[in-house]
Amino acid sequence: MKIGILALQGAFAEHAQMLRTLGADTFEIRQNSDLNQPVDGLVIPGGESTVQLKLLNDLDLLVPMRRMITDGMPVFGTCAGLILLSKKVDGQAYGGISTMNIQTCRNAYGRQLGSFYAESVMEGVGEKVPMPFIRAPYIQTLLSDECQTLATVEGRIVAAREGNQLVTAFHPELTNDTRVHRFFLNIVSSADSR
Ligand code: GLN
């Protein structure tokens, strides 16, 4: 199983390390030609969504990645990655990758308050999932019946799935708990073979 990790900015190395621990092959996506190799799933890491979005546009990665995901390629977005996958951000249509029917609040808790730690149940993953939040967004509204809430913290949606798309507002790659990544790899292995 081969996972391509967007590696323009942010916490991409931690995802690679965790996925390799689970036996997946990984490679970094830094330019358009990196998308020419066979790939079974994508990761969009946390970091700064505005910076990643500018680079995705400048490097001609935005449209091809959007098309891959629309065509069914499994994707896992964390934090800024969740923002980039949202169709709406802060109440407005968003020109990111924008493949997932969710409406997201950026920096939802205020700049400082958005960093905290929680443990909660995540459907399909288990109990007491460690959840570090760093200037975190949250999902305000699911925009389609295809979207499913997987976890909430203090009444806010912090993990969701729509088909082969998985997002978390927190950073499982910054913990020692591999269950969320294992859950994503299960989505990848059960996706239709292309
Ligand atoms: N608030 C950041 C953004 O808007 C996301 C923070 C993160 O990825 N840890 O991109």
Side-chain angles (χ1 to χ4, degrees), residues 46-50 78-81 83 106-107 134-137 171:
E48 184 52 49
S49 56
T50 48
T78 52
C79 203
I83 295 169
R106 270 191 80 205
N107 296 321
I134 304 171
R135 294 188 303 108
H171 289 267

Side-chain angles (χ1 to χ4, degrees), residues 38-165:
V39 57
D40 302 303
L42 301 171
V43 170
I44 319 286
E48 184 52 49
S49 56
T50 48
V51 175
Q52 292 194 39
L53 181 54
K54 182 179 186 320
L55 292 169
L56 280 166
N57 270 309
D58 291 353
L59 296 164
D60 254 338
L61 283 165
L62 188 73
V63 173
M65 287 182 73
R66 183 189 290 146
R67 190 176 311 126
M68 288 164 82
I69 296 165
T70 307
D71 286 349
M73 174 68 64
V75 63
F76 178 22
T78 52
C79 203
L82 176 156
I83 295 169
L84 286 163
L85 289 168
S86 303
K87 283 207 175 154
K88 281 185 154 189
V89 175
D90 292 336
Q92 304 196 352
Y94 182 59
I97 298 174
S98 300
T99 46
M100 190 157 169
N101 285 297
I102 51 176
Q103 171 163 328
T104 295
C105 271
R106 270 191 80 205
N107 296 321
Y109 309 82
R111 286 219 157 260
Q112 301 304 321
L113 294 177
S115 303
F116 59 94
Y117 177 82
E119 282 181 5
S120 189
V121 181
M122 181 165 163
E123 204 171 320
V125 171
E127 296 192 356
K128 292 193 175 164
V129 176
M131 302 181 172
F133 292 86
I134 304 171
R135 294 188 303 108
Y138 76 95
I139 300 169
Q140 213 171 18
T141 320
L142 303 179
L143 302 171
S144 155
D145 290 345
E146 308 288 302
C147 283
Q148 182 193 1
T149 298
L150 299 180
T152 58
V153 169
E154 290 172 11
R156 292 174 158 176
I157 304 171
V158 297
R161 176 178 179 178
E162 179 179 1
N164 292 335
Q165 301 186 69

Side-chain angles (χ1 to χ4, degrees), residues 30-45:
R30 293 175 180 274
Q31 54 190 350
N32 187 281
S33 58
D34 293 330
L35 298 175
N36 294 338
Q37 57 194 298
V39 57
D40 302 303
L42 301 171
V43 170
I44 319 286

